[in-house]
Amino acid sequence: MVNHQTTVESTTHLSAQDLAALRENLREQRLFRQEQLRQPTGPVTSRTEHRLQEQAASQVEVRVKLAASARMVLADVEAALQRMDDGSYGTGHLCRRAIDRERLMIVPQARYCAHCQQVKEAIP
């Protein structure tokens, strides 16, 4: 018979090496998103702007949406780094249970366990 407690601990425990790798991953994500936000989001200005006005407008719209997404991810990354600093990293915000190690290795900024994430997304 398999001891369920042992199985749960092996999938939720984060070693010091795991935390170091996750912290580095989060820092890299933060740098990437900060760089993404530093890129200009304004319209293209050149001699051919008149001909390319519609194309530039759609590019600006895409850049604005990408910047908004980058800001959201950056906020999640910053929050995860803060949770690491205050010792609450890896604990689900809704259920207060440990988030599976595998989930954190894939989504290091996760603030919900897989079940709570599904519940949260199902609520309109």
Side-chain angles (χ1 to χ4, degrees), residues 34-49:
Q34 288 171 335
E35 179 60 31
Q36 212 177 9
L37 290 169
R38 278 193 283 274
Q39 294 175 4
T41 58
V44 176
T45 56
S46 70
R47 295 179 65 199
T48 61
E49 185 176 341

Side-chain angles (χ1 to χ4, degrees), residues 21-122:
L22 289 164
R23 184 181 295 275
E24 183 59 28
N25 182 308
L26 289 164
R27 286 179 177 158
E28 288 174 10
Q29 284 189 53
R30 177 174 53 191
L31 290 173
F32 174 77
R33 297 304 175 175
Q34 288 171 335
E35 179 60 31
Q36 212 177 9
L37 290 169
R38 278 193 283 274
Q39 294 175 4
T41 58
V44 176
T45 56
S46 70
R47 295 179 65 199
T48 61
E49 185 176 341
H50 181 68
R51 275 192 0 233
L52 302 173
Q53 187 173 10
E54 284 183 22
Q55 182 181 1
S58 67
Q59 288 175 352
V60 167
E61 183 178 346
V62 168
R63 286 185 195 136
V64 167
K65 288 181 180 180
L66 285 174
S69 176
R71 279 190 295 276
M72 286 181 2
V73 173
L74 180 58
D76 287 344
V77 166
E78 294 286 354
L81 287 166
Q82 180 60 45
R83 289 191 304 275
M84 281 185 166
D85 291 342
D86 69 23
S88 65
Y89 182 78
T91 302
H93 276 94
L94 295 178
C95 65
R96 299 292 182 218
R97 286 180 271 164
I99 300 172
D100 285 340
R101 177 187 179 276
E102 291 78 14
R103 177 166 170 73
L104 291 171
M105 295 306 258
I106 295 168
V107 186
Q109 68 270 25
R111 60 179 76 207
Y112 304 104
C113 70
H115 175 74
C116 289
Q117 184 69 41
Q118 289 175 343
V119 169
K120 185 177 176 295
E121 290 175 0

